[in-house]
Amino acid sequence: MSATFLHLTVSRNVAGSSAPRIGVLALQGDVREHSGVLRELGCEVVEIRLPAHLEGIDGLVIPGGESSVMDKLSRIFGLAEPLRDAIAQGLPVLGTCAGLIMVANHIEDAIAGQENFGGLDVTVRRNAFGAQVDSFETAVSIEGVTGPALQVAFIRAPEVIAVGPGARVIATLGDGRVVGVAGGNIIGVAFHPEITGEDRVHRMFLDVVAQRALQQPTTVDA
Ligand code: GLN
């Protein structure tokens, strides 16, 4: 391709402004699926493995996977502390499944010594829906998401068992179990929206990112 066309590939989001720069915590879990959805939505995606990668991001997605492993790796790579600080300072975060566990202020049924980043005023219980073989797909409605219910997957999912004054419920199952919460600039869902061709949770998250950018144009300094 001739250099003349290079300027055409500069990414722009729907509104025509610069693409949001979104980090995906890439220590473990379904990083590729989240990155794919975000790129489809016009984001610049940065895989986060080291503290320096946090520089300049407008938001962070923490994928599903295994929270106890993400915890260990984030401490080994020196990411836990800077991430905890950035989230406490208002970095927008979307946490899905294990990602929700990573941002919950309290964890039930954690493994011995398990830590996380915190930031969301909720308590989650790990593996509340059973083992891998008990995985299921179902339709869920989320507050603020229009259109038909979302088709999503639950894989060794956590359940939100307590919601403090700093957070609110945005999704429940038919039996009343809480599977989606939001508070401050954080959205947490117990399920995987990224493996069933769904992008509306990511769009909702990008709205939070855009709001934050309006309030505070500066981004994370690593
Ligand atoms: N049970 C896993 C954990 O505790 C989460 C499973 C998932 O992210 N699909 O981290």
Side-chain angles (χ1 to χ4, degrees), residues 4 37 54 72 82 98 109 127 134 147-148 156 179 198 208 212 216:
T4 320
V37 176
L54 294 170
K72 282 191 188 127
D109 293 342
N127 303 324
D134 302 312
R156 290 183 302 119
V179 293
E198 180 55 67
V208 175
R212 170 117 195 291
Q216 187 184 333

Side-chain angles (χ1 to χ4, degrees), residues 10-204:
V10 171
S11 55
R12 295 269 149 184
N13 67 14
V14 218
S17 56
S18 298
R21 188 176 162 92
I22 306 297
V24 177
L25 187 63
L27 299 172
Q28 189 266 339
D30 59 342
V31 175
R32 194 188 309 171
E33 290 80 358
H34 277 289
S35 300
V37 176
L38 291 165
R39 284 199 187 97
E40 282 288 314
L41 292 173
C43 299
E44 179 191 348
V45 175
V46 185
E47 294 194 353
I48 308 289
R49 294 193 182 83
L50 295 169
H53 300 158
L54 294 170
E55 195 172 338
I57 60 169
D58 301 306
L60 176 73
V61 172
I62 308 181
E66 173 51 51
S67 58
S68 58
V69 176
M70 278 185 216
D71 165 38
K72 282 191 188 127
L73 292 176
S74 68
R75 285 191 266 163
I76 289 169
F77 288 106
L79 261 175
E81 214 47 54
L83 266 180
R84 201 170 285 137
D85 289 350
I87 295 169
Q89 284 163 28
L91 177 69
V93 179
L94 168 62
T96 65
C97 204
L100 164 61
I101 298 170
M102 294 307 293
V103 292
N105 278 354
H106 306 284
I107 308 173
E108 256 193 31
D109 293 342
I111 68 162
Q114 181 170 353
E115 296 177 11
N116 71 350
F117 310 135
L120 191 53
D121 191 9
V122 297
T123 302
V124 295
R125 179 182 293 134
R126 290 178 64 236
N127 303 324
F129 294 89
Q132 191 84 15
V133 291
D134 302 312
S135 299
F136 62 98
E137 266 189 45
T138 191
V140 175
S141 296
I142 303 185
E143 179 202 295
V145 173
T146 52
L150 296 83
Q151 192 66 23
V152 296
F154 285 75
I155 304 167
R156 290 183 302 119
E159 178 188 356
V160 180
I161 56 169
V163 180
R168 67 180 200 284
V169 175
I170 59 167
T172 48
L173 292 180
D175 61 6
R177 298 174 89 174
V178 175
V179 293
V181 275
N185 294 326
I186 304 176
I187 297 170
V189 292
F191 45 81
H192 291 260
E194 73 287 355
I195 58 178
T196 48
E198 180 55 67
D199 68 6
R200 285 173 288 169
V201 176
H202 294 79
R203 286 177 185 269
M204 181 169 75

